[in-house]
Amino acid sequence: MLLPSLSAAALLTSGIASAADLPIKPSVGDLVKQSQASDWRPTDPQHTLYMELESGRVVIELAPGFAPNNIANIETLVKEKYFDGLAILRSQDNYVAQWGDPQAESDHPRPLGSAKPKVAGEFSVPLKNDQHFVRQPDRDGYAPQIGHSNGFPVARDPKAGTTWLAHCYGMVGVGRDNGTDSGNGAELYAVTGHAPRHLDRNITLVGRVLSGMPLLSSLPRGGEAMGFYGAKESRMAIKSVRLEADVPEAERSHLEVMRSEAPIYQQVIDAQRNRGGPWNKFSPGYVELCNAPIPVRVRP
């Protein structure tokens, strides 16, 4: 039996009436305003980097529980001022920005000092290394379980007994060649495009950018293959990289990260999973791991 046809105007009106029924719900911004001081934690000065560019500061929080050996090597490089005067080497559209020594492949690379020339890849770690995992119930195509640990996006496989950091926007990793031990932290990159989750468990991730992502994501794209800057292209210089602990208190950024174990963060995730009206006309009831970032703010 054929159903009565509706006019285009009637269909449009019907759709709008149905879509407008989404209830008004608190936004992420509303929840941040409602949060209490106990919902936030300061960055750890011993494991937070300040990369000073000509255009401003990039703040990177490291995750030693997931890559302790690579991070120890990076912190050695930073303490010995290895990165000072180096440059952004690569800006590939919808992918990554990468930095390090422009002369690394020449006959005169910058000496690594007391840092190790090779560090074994730390693509995943035992579950016992992560005591702060808070599961996100949404499905994921790359891992049996996803969630957050101390604000970092993580995935895990309980059957294999392993967990790892996920390649979300702003995550920072160690560049390498084919060998799994061919990286040492002297070349780092930050994800500036859509989350390349296929890189999970193939590259060592060491942390994430908390502040300054626009300085990296807005860089001119490199003209060579994979977005590397050519000889005639200008590279942005790195003025310095320092541990937050080595920066005078008055010059620190004083950032706080919402505690992923705080109940309010579950509300933050749900605000992105089940968006309310009146602007939203459809709510998917789902949110990807990389679309549920932990809020960061300057300490009040």
Side-chain angles (χ1 to χ4, degrees):
M1 182 176 69
L2 296 176
L3 295 175
S5 62
L6 291 175
S7 68
L11 282 169
L12 185 61
T13 302
S14 174
I16 290 176
S18 176
D21 291 337
L22 280 180
I24 297 175
K25 295 183 177 181
S27 67
V28 172
D30 294 331
L31 292 167
V32 168
K33 291 178 182 178
Q34 296 170 16
S35 66
Q36 305 298 313
S38 58
D39 294 325
W40 300 82
R41 64 165 178 83
T43 54
D44 182 349
Q46 299 295 336
H47 298 300
T48 302
L49 305 180
Y50 290 174
M51 180 165 68
E52 306 291 351
L53 303 176
E54 296 170 350
S55 54
R57 173 180 287 176
V58 177
V59 181
I60 300 169
E61 182 177 35
L62 301 174
F66 289 87
N69 297 318
N70 280 268
I71 287 174
N73 214 49
I74 291 168
E75 291 174 348
T76 295
L77 291 167
V78 169
K79 290 174 183 176
E80 296 180 2
K81 303 181 180 179
Y82 170 82
F83 292 99
D84 294 15
L86 298 186
I88 307 294
L89 308 175
R90 173 188 182 193
S91 177
Q92 184 172 358
D93 192 47
N94 195 35
Y95 205 45
V96 300
Q98 187 168 327
W99 58 94
D101 180 9
Q103 304 301 320
E105 303 300 324
S106 73
D107 294 333
H108 302 286
R110 175 166 291 189
L112 296 174
S114 57
K116 298 177 181 178
K118 289 186 176 183
V119 181
E122 295 171 293
F123 303 156
S124 64
V125 297
L127 287 178
K128 64 181 181 181
N129 284 36
D130 180 13
Q131 302 297 317
H132 302 281
F133 179 73
V134 180
R135 187 173 179 181
Q136 182 177 320
D138 302 277
R139 63 190 180 278
D140 184 76
Y142 292 93
Q145 293 182 1
I146 54 171
H148 289 85
S149 177
N150 271 340
F152 294 96
V154 300
R156 54 197 245 157
D157 184 345
K159 288 185 178 180
T162 56
T163 184
W164 57 92
L165 294 173
H167 271 83
C168 296
Y169 182 78
M171 293 298 286
V172 175
V174 175
R176 70 170 176 89
D177 293 324
N178 287 337
T180 58
D181 65 347
S182 56
N184 57 18
E187 278 196 8
L188 298 170
Y189 66 88
V191 176
T192 58
H194 180 75
R197 293 286 304 283
H198 62 282
L199 296 178
D200 290 3
R201 291 181 284 180
N202 282 301
I203 299 182
T204 300
L205 285 173
V206 294
R208 68 173 183 138
V209 176
L210 295 182
S211 175
M213 270 305 295
L215 305 180
L216 299 175
S217 60
S218 64
L219 287 166
R221 297 333 186 214
E224 302 291 332
M226 299 176 65
F228 281 93
Y229 292 115
K232 296 183 179 180
E233 295 179 283
S234 61
R235 303 184 183 99
M236 180 171 289
I238 297 173
K239 296 169 67 176
S240 67
V241 180
R242 297 286 182 274
L243 282 173
E244 183 178 59
D246 295 331
V247 174
E249 181 71 27
E251 298 175 18
R252 296 184 186 181
S253 295
H254 299 112
L255 298 181
E256 289 185 329
V257 180
M258 182 173 279
R259 296 181 185 275
S260 44
E261 66 272 25
I264 195 168
Y265 182 60
Q266 295 305 314
Q267 299 176 50
V268 166
I269 293 180
D270 193 62
Q272 297 170 88
R273 179 188 298 113
N274 297 298
R275 298 173 183 271
W279 188 90
N280 292 291
K281 306 307 178 186
F282 171 78
S283 182
Y286 167 79
V287 62
E288 293 181 346
L289 172 65
C290 293
N291 281 339
I294 294 280
V296 179
R297 71 179 185 181
V298 176
R299 187 163 66 241

